[in-house]
Amino acid sequence: MKQFIENLPKAELHLHIEGSFEPELMFEIAKRNNIDIPYNSVQEIEKAYQFNCLQDFLNIYYQGASVLIKEADFYDLTYSYLKKCAAQNVRHTEIMFDPQTHTERGVAFETVINGIANACADANEKLGVSSLLIMSYLRHLSEESAFKTLQQSLPFKAKIKAVGLDSSEKGNPPSKFKAVFEASIKEGYVPLAHAGEEGDADYVWEAIDGLKIKRIDHGNNALQDEKLVTEIVARDLALTVCPLSNTALQVVKDLKKHPLKKMMDLGLKITINSDDPAYFGGQVNANYIAVQEALNLSKQELYELAKNSFQYSLLEKNEKKKYIEALDTFYQQEK
Ligand code: ADE
Ligand code: ZN
């Protein structure tokens, strides 16, 4: 099964580039930028990564991201993640980045987007991994700040496919961002959002009805509301589920109790993702392996999850078809 998962062609649809920041690279970049970080060793960092909830994690995640200053930092961070994609048979990835985490510290929007986008272009050429970018608004900040970010993004529109909504969910409902999502859609961005990770089902309703999102990041708490599940299935909206993130942030106490299989049985379209792999103990393949073991998933179910990752990506129809054909060829040989 492990080998099957490792060789399975797949896409990753829920990945925060700032959450892919491995301790070794963090030390290297902090050093070259002359920034002190409050850890002396990789072991100390790993010890600090114990979380009781989303906010515990976010505090450490924003602190880690604060050593990123120059375009080369964003380039190195992104290229390092894309190399891991290539090694895991991740053929396509949709990368979230949080501009406000950087612009609020005085780093130019341009620095962030150019570093990330150049790494994506190089990886496409050299590693054969394709990618699209999702600009995520931070929901703990104001809608006005999100509007400012939207304005800053416009000269770089060709490099950005979608907008997202992330950070502290509870107390920051999707409705807070209704106007900026409307404006983002008008600019041609595809609307996506985190919903139902810690927030209740009503946040998922707000995200699908109010923000008109095309894919739900996490969505675990949609299961609280039968009518909502029926609606998500009817609208054919996929959920980007992140198993190791869920246990690390105590959204799910034990992987054996993870609702992923139940979600699939209810007809929901599920994909498997790593969210913030440097913080949650595993890349995308580790997530597949962990849920396969915990929930005893079959090869057929793993195939379906991988197929969803292409089908519910933001790629054009013919691109999806190309990737799914490669997956089908693999599956016919290996099932
Ligand atoms: N930012 C990075 N990871 C996140 C998560 N899992 N939920 C909300 N915001 C995030
Ligand atoms: Zn996330």
Side-chain angles (χ1 to χ4, degrees):
M1 276 299 188
K2 187 166 176 277
Q3 204 183 7
F4 177 82
I5 288 168
E6 283 166 354
N7 293 330
L8 188 67
K10 59 187 81 68
E12 176 152 59
L13 306 182
H14 185 153
L15 177 281
H16 301 264
I17 199 63
E18 295 88 351
S20 74
F21 204 2
E22 296 290 345
E24 292 80 3
L25 185 61
M26 196 183 290
F27 274 116
E28 189 185 318
I29 293 181
K31 193 168 167 212
R32 75 189 187 205
N33 287 340
N34 275 319
I35 295 173
D36 276 335
I37 53 173
Y39 310 105
N40 291 311
S41 65
V42 171
Q43 286 76 8
E44 262 185 51
I45 291 195
E46 281 164 358
K47 229 171 103 191
Y49 292 177
Q50 308 282 341
F51 315 113
N52 288 313
C53 60
L54 175 59
Q55 194 58 50
D56 267 6
F57 154 70
L58 289 169
N59 296 339
I60 288 188
Y61 162 89
Y62 294 127
Q63 184 185 63
S66 70
V67 309
L68 300 161
I69 309 279
K70 304 197 175 90
E71 189 176 310
D73 304 340
F74 292 93
Y75 181 98
D76 290 349
L77 173 67
T78 308
Y79 204 78
S80 162
Y81 162 67
L82 289 162
K83 277 201 290 198
K84 292 198 177 78
C85 287
Q88 295 180 90
N89 272 307
V90 173
R91 305 281 168 86
H92 173 72
T93 177
E94 307 202 335
I95 300 178
M96 283 182 248
F97 68 109
D98 294 340
Q100 290 151 295
T101 298
H102 315 295
T103 52
E104 292 267 312
R105 302 181 283 113
V107 177
F109 188 97
E110 185 183 359
T111 304
V112 180
I113 187 73
N114 286 343
I116 296 173
N118 288 341
C120 290
D122 286 351
N124 193 22
E125 194 184 311
K126 294 181 190 148
L127 307 173
V129 178
S130 63
S131 47
L132 293 171
L133 295 179
I134 304 163
M135 172 175 80
S136 293
Y137 300 125
L138 296 180
R139 68 203 304 159
H140 67 275
L141 300 178
S142 65
E143 188 180 48
E144 193 190 344
S145 172
F147 264 113
K148 197 172 149 199
T149 304
L150 173 60
Q151 283 306 316
Q152 289 169 335
S153 77
L154 297 181
F156 307 96
K157 220 157 95 171
K159 297 181 177 181
I160 303 167
K161 181 72 181 173
V163 291
L165 185 64
D166 62 3
S167 193
S168 321
E169 188 179 12
K170 279 187 183 162
N172 295 296
S175 53
K176 179 177 163 187
F177 297 93
K178 195 167 185 312
V180 77
F181 265 67
E182 259 169 38
S184 303
I185 293 167
K186 276 202 186 116
E187 294 295 347
Y189 294 128
V190 178
L192 310 172
H194 284 55
E197 181 184 19
E198 283 190 342
D200 286 329
D202 54 329
Y203 279 30
V204 183
W205 277 115
E206 278 187 22
I208 66 171
D209 281 345
L211 304 188
K212 311 230 175 312
I213 62 169
K214 301 293 180 208
R215 201 163 70 202
I216 304 166
D217 289 320
H218 296 295
N220 298 38
N221 287 341
L223 295 183
Q224 293 169 349
D225 182 340
E226 235 175 81
K227 203 167 152 240
L228 175 59
V229 171
T230 306
E231 198 56 35
I232 295 171
V233 173
R235 293 191 204 180
D236 199 26
L237 300 171
L239 271 57
T240 62
V241 171
C242 308
L244 292 177
S245 162
N246 290 160
T247 47
L249 301 183
Q250 320 238 9
V251 166
V252 173
K253 298 292 170 209
D254 175 354
L255 218 47
K256 285 198 158 52
K257 299 207 171 77
H258 198 285
L260 178 130
K261 196 158 156 43
K262 185 177 171 201
M263 289 166 157
M264 292 173 80
D265 293 344
L266 286 167
L268 290 163
K269 300 300 181 191
I270 304 302
T271 65
I272 293 194
N273 308 274
S274 69
D275 203 3
D276 301 283
Y279 293 89
F280 300 150
Q283 304 286 325
V284 68
N285 281 357
N287 276 270
Y288 272 84
I289 291 165
V291 278
Q292 190 283 320
E293 285 174 357
L295 305 175
N296 197 23
L297 299 181
S298 65
K299 283 186 177 175
Q300 163 77 26
E301 285 164 326
L302 295 166
Y303 161 77
E304 270 171 38
L305 291 162
K307 188 170 178 181
N308 288 342
S309 74
F310 294 118
Q311 188 62 41
Y312 293 90
S313 73
L314 303 176
L315 287 166
E316 300 301 325
K317 220 171 158 187
N318 58 341
E319 286 285 302
K320 288 184 188 179
K321 190 165 170 268
K322 180 189 84 182
Y323 284 116
I324 292 172
E325 277 171 7
L327 170 66
D328 284 346
T329 304
F330 168 83
Y331 184 58
Q332 287 312 319
Q333 284 163 3
E334 303 293 329
K335 74 180 176 191

